[in-house]
C-alpha cells in the first residue's frame, strides 16, 4: 500500500524541487522509503510532529498544507473565519516556511492570518490568540525534539491547545483531505496586499510583557539574586530577559553561546532542560560568577528547568515536580488571602507532593490527563461557571502556568516567578534546596522518576502496544514489595480496586494510559508519548526519609523493569 503513496509523489509533476531531490536519494533505501510513506503523519489531539523530509509520514510543505486545510475548514465550520488565525514559529528548520504555507492555505479560504515577523515562544502565541481575538492559533515547533523534527500545534479561540472534542472535529477535517499534494494555496504577496497576511511583532510583545507584571507576588522584596539563563538556541531570550528586568532583577547573565537561534542546537545533545546535559554551559558560567540560580528553557519556551548550588557549590538540577512544589508553596504562602474555592490543577503523572502542599493551605487539587490542553480547558470552564479559582497549574515535565493570560505552559512566566522565589528565600538566608528540604520535613519525602524507551518506526509502535497490552492483561498484585491497591485504565476509563474487587468510572476522557496505585502513597504509570516514538514509565513514592524513599523507588522500578526485560 505504501508504494501507491510513494508513486503518487514520484509522479507529481510540480513536486517541490528540494523534496524531489531528497525523494530521489531515498530510492536506494527501501526501509527508509517505506517509513516515509507507510502511513500518513498522524494529526492527533496535540497536532502533529515528525521528521522533516519527503513523504506522507514526514513534516514537509504538503503535510503542513493538509493540516492547514483542516484548520481552515474547522475555523469556517465554527463561523469564526473573519477573526483570523495567529501563527508563531520557533528556530527549527523550515519553521518560518511552514508558518507562511499555513497562512497561504488559510488565505485561499479568505481567512486572515496574524504571523509573527520572527520567532516567538509558544506561550506568547497562546496569549496572542486571546489578545488579537483570533479564532485559532498555530505554533510551528517540535518543542524539545532533535533537530530533524518539526511540528504543527493548533490552538482554539481561548488560546489553549484543542481539547478532545474540538480536536476530534479538526482531526476529521484533516483526515478528509484525500491528497495533500493538491491542497490549494494563495500567493503570499497578494495576501499581504489584500490584508489577509498581516505581520505582527512588538505590539504583541509589549502587551504580553504588561501582562507579565501580574506574575510578581511581592513586588517590593529585594531582588539581589545572581541569575544565569540559557534559551538553548530557542525563542525565549528577549521575553525572559525583559520579564526579569521589569520585575526588578539586575544581575542577569545570558549563556551567549546558546543565545542565538540555531536549528542544529549545536551546543547540546538535546535542547531539553529535563536532561541535565543541557545545563553544562550554564553550570560552567554559574560557577565562574557564583550564580544563585540557573535557568534553561526549551526551544519554544514552554518548559523551564532550574539548577541551584548545593552546600558544596555543585549545581543540582531540580525536577519538574520539585520546581512546581516550590512555586506552588510560594504562591499560596505569600498570598494575602486565599479564596475558599481555590484550585491547583496538575496531571495524573505529576507528584502528589503538590496535592499535600495545596491541602495544607486549604486549596483543593484536580487531576487531569497528561497534556496542558486539559489544564487550559479547566481554566476556561472555571471562568464560565465560577465554581473554582485557578491558583496554579503544572506537570512533571517542566511545564507550569502561573497566571491564566496564557492558556498553555509558560516558561517565561515560570522563569520570573522561580527567580522571585529564589530571591525570597535568599532574603531569609536560605537556598531553594533549603526551602525544598523544609517542605519535605513538613509533608514527607516525595521522590519521583521517569524512564523512557525510544522505539521508532512501525516495529517500535508494535512493541509499545505489546507492552501496554501485557501490563493491562497481567494480574500484577505488587511492586517493590508494596501491594497494588488500584489499577486505573484510562483507555477504558475504569478504576479497579484490587483488594475489594470493585470498579468505578474515571471521569476523564479516554487515553492510552495505565496507572498502578500502591499502598503507602506509591505508584507507577505507563504512557505512550503522543509526540515522540517513546513509551514512558513514571514512578512516585513517599516515605519519612530520603534514603528510605530512594530504596523504595529503586524497588518499584526493579519490578517494572524485570517485567519489561521478559517482554523485550
Amino acid at each position: 500500500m505504501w508504494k501507491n503513496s510513494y508513486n503518487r509523489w514520484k509522479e507529481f509533476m510540480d513536486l517541490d524541487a528540494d523534496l524531489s531531490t531528497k525523494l530521489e536519494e531515498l530510492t536506494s533505501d527501501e526501509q527508509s522509503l517505506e517509513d516515509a510513506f507507510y502511513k500518513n503523519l498522524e494529526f492527533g489531539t496535540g497536532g502533529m510532529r515528525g521528521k522533516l523530509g519527503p513523504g506522507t509520514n514526514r513534516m514537509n510543505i504538503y503535510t503542513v498544507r493538509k493540516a492547514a486545510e483542516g484548520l481552515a475548514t474547522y475555523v469556517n465550520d465554527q463561523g469564526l473565519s473573519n477573526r483570523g488565525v495567529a501563527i508563531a514559529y520557533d528556530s527549527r528548520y523550515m519553521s518560518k516556511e511552514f508558518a507562511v504555507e499555513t497562512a497561504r492555505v488559510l488565505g485561499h479560504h479568505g481567512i486572515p492570518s496574524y504571523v509573527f515577523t520572527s520567532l516567538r515562544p509558544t506561550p506568547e502565541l497562546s496569549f496572542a490568540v486571546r489578545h488579537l481575538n483570533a479564532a485559532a492559533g498555530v505554533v510551528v515547533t517540535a518543542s524539545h525534539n532533535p533537530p530533524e523534527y518539526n511540528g504543527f500545534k493548533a490552538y482554539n479561540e481561548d488560546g489553549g491547545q484543542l481539547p478532545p472534542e474540538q480536536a476530534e472535529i479538526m482531526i476529521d477535517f484533516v483526515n478528509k483531505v484525500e491528497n495533500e499534494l493538491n491542497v490549494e494555496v494563495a500567493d503570499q504577496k497578494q495576501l499581504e496586499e489584500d490584508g489577509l497576511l498581516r505581520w505582527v511583532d512588538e505590539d504583541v510583545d509589549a502587551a504580553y510583557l504588561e501582562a507579565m507584571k501580574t506574575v510578581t507576588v511581592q513586588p517590593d522584596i529585594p531582588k539581589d539574586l545572581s541569575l544565569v539563563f540559557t534559551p538553548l538556541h530557542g525563542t525565549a531570550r528577549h521575553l525572559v530577559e525583559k520579564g526579569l528586568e521589569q520585575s526588578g532583577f539586575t544581575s542577569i547573565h545570558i549563556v551567549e553561546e546558546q543565545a542565538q537561534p540555531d536549528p542544529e542546537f549545536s551546543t547540546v545533545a538535546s535542547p531539553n532542560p529535563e536532561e541535565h546535559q543541557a545545563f553544562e554551559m550554564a553550570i560552567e558560567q554559574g560557577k565562574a560568577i557564583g550564580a544563585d540560580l540557573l535557568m534553561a528553557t526549551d526551544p519554544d519556551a514552554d518548559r523551564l528547568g532550574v539548577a541551584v548550588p548545593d552546600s558544596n557549590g555543585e549545581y543540582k538540577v531540580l525536577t519538574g515536580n520539585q520546581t512546581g512544589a516550590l512555586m506552588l508553596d510560594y504562591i499560596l504562602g505569600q498570598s494575602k488571602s486565599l479564596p475558599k474555592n481555590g484550585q491547583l490543577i496538575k496531571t495524573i503523572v505529576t507528584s502528589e507532593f503538590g496535592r499535600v502542599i495545596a491541602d495544607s493551605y486549604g486549596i483543593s487539587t484536580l487531576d487531569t490527563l497528561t497534556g496542558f490542553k486539559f489544564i487550559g480547558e479547566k481554566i476556561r470552564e472555571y471562568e464560565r461557571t465560577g465554581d473554582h479559582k485557578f491558583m496554579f497549574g503544572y506537570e512533571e515535565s517542566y511545564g507550569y502556568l502561573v497566571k491564566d493570560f496564557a492558556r498553555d505552559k509558560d516558561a517565561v512566566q515560570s522563569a520570573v516567578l522561580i527567580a522571585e522565589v529564589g530571591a525570597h528565600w535568599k532574603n531569609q538566608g536560605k537556598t531553594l534546596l533549603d526551602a525544598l528540604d523544609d517542605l519535605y520535613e513538613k509533608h514527607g519525602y516525595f521522590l519521583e522518576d521517569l524512564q523512557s524507551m525510544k522505539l521508532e518506526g512501525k516495529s517500535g509502535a508494535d512493541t509499545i502496544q505489546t507492552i501496554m497490552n501485557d501490563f493491562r492483561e497481567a494480574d500484577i498484585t505488587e511492586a517493590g514489595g508494596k501491594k497494588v491497591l488500584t489499577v486505573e485504565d484510562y483507555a477504558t476509563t475504569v478504576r479497579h480496586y484490587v483488594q475489594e474487587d470493585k470498579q468505578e468510572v474515571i471521569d476523564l476522557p479516554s487515553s492510552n494510559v495505565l496507572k498502578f496505585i500502591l499502598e503507602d502513597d506509591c505508584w507507577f504509570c505507563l504512557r505512550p508519548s503522543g509526540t515522540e516514538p517513546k513509551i514512558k514509565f513514571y514512578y512516585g513514592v513517599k516515605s519519612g526519609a530520603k534514603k528510605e524513599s530512594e530504596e523504595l523507588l529503586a524497588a518499584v522500578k526493579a519490578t517494572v523493569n524485570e517485567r519489561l526485560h521478559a517482554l523485550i
Side-chain angles (χ1 to χ4, degrees), residues 469-486:
N469 289 343
D470 177 81
F471 275 80
R472 275 198 171 93
E473 295 164 6
D475 183 22
I476 300 174
T477 58
E478 69 88 27
K482 298 293 183 180
K483 290 180 183 178
V484 175
L485 302 180
T486 311

Side-chain angles (χ1 to χ4, degrees), residues 156-448:
N156 64 14
E157 61 178 318
D158 192 51
Q161 291 189 51
L162 298 175
E165 287 186 15
Q166 291 180 327
E168 288 302 321
I169 297 170
M170 184 169 162
I171 289 166
D172 186 53
F173 287 137
V174 173
N175 291 339
K176 283 180 179 176
V177 180
E178 294 182 358
N179 188 345
E180 65 285 341
L181 299 175
N182 291 336
V183 174
E184 295 186 65
V185 296
D187 178 72
Q188 178 182 338
K189 290 189 181 300
Q190 189 62 53
L191 291 175
E192 290 171 343
E193 291 175 8
D194 294 342
L196 289 173
L197 198 170
R198 308 169 190 177
W199 297 99
V200 296
D201 43 38
E202 284 92 349
D203 288 348
V204 180
D205 294 346
Y208 178 86
L209 286 168
E210 184 64 28
M212 277 290 301
K213 293 177 181 177
T214 65
V215 171
T216 299
V217 178
Q218 299 185 87
D220 299 327
I221 66 168
K223 304 289 175 64
D224 180 26
L225 200 72
S226 178
L227 304 166
V228 170
F229 170 62
T230 172
L232 297 179
H233 302 295
T235 62
R237 175 175 184 170
H238 174 71
L239 288 179
V240 168
E241 201 167 11
K242 292 297 182 186
L244 288 167
E245 287 172 355
Q246 74 177 17
S247 185
F249 292 93
T250 57
S251 183
I252 306 165
H253 307 270
I254 307 296
V255 181
E256 292 296 340
E257 300 94 327
Q258 298 175 327
Q260 294 304 311
D262 174 9
E264 281 295 320
F265 310 112
S266 53
T267 66
V268 288
S270 169
N272 185 356
E274 291 182 82
E275 298 180 17
H276 292 191
Q277 55 80 28
F279 274 92
E280 287 177 0
M281 284 189 169
I283 288 173
E284 183 179 349
Q285 188 165 330
K287 286 183 176 180
I289 65 172
D292 299 303
L293 184 66
L294 315 180
M295 299 185 291
T297 52
D298 67 343
D300 68 323
D302 61 357
R303 298 171 192 248
L304 175 80
V306 173
V308 191
D310 63 16
S311 57
N312 298 316
E314 296 298 322
Y315 285 92
K316 177 180 175 59
V317 180
L318 302 184
T319 69
N321 286 312
Q322 290 171 332
T323 301
L326 285 164
M327 289 197 286
L328 172 66
D329 180 69
Y330 179 73
I331 290 168
L332 300 182
Q334 301 307 316
S335 295
K336 292 181 173 62
S337 64
L338 292 172
K340 293 181 180 179
N341 63 345
Q343 184 96 70
L344 163 69
I345 311 177
K346 70 177 191 66
T347 70
I348 59 174
V349 296
T350 300
S351 174
E352 291 298 291
F353 198 13
R355 187 190 309 276
V356 173
I357 292 169
D359 283 347
S360 72
Y361 289 101
I363 298 297
S364 61
T365 300
L366 177 76
D367 284 322
T368 70
L369 292 175
T370 303
F372 233 84
K373 58 181 171 285
F374 297 109
I375 295 177
E377 184 182 28
K378 280 297 176 183
I379 294 171
R380 188 178 193 183
E381 178 187 316
Y382 296 163
E383 280 185 335
R384 187 175 65 252
T385 65
D387 290 344
H388 294 284
K389 170 68 175 174
F390 172 74
M391 301 301 295
F392 185 63
Y394 76 117
E395 57 186 9
E396 51 76 37
S397 55
Y398 286 50
Y400 325 94
L401 183 61
V402 184
K403 294 294 184 180
D404 61 8
F405 58 79
R407 296 296 163 92
D408 202 353
K409 50 187 177 283
D410 189 334
V412 184
Q413 289 190 34
S414 305
V416 170
L417 181 66
I418 196 63
E420 183 181 334
V421 178
H424 168 81
W425 288 116
K426 184 177 181 180
N427 293 332
Q428 309 297 316
K430 296 182 178 182
T431 68
L432 287 180
L433 292 179
D434 296 328
L436 190 60
D437 284 340
D438 289 346
L439 288 175
Y440 286 140
E441 186 70 26
K442 182 177 180 181
H443 300 294
Y445 205 97
F446 289 81
L447 192 61
E448 296 80 28

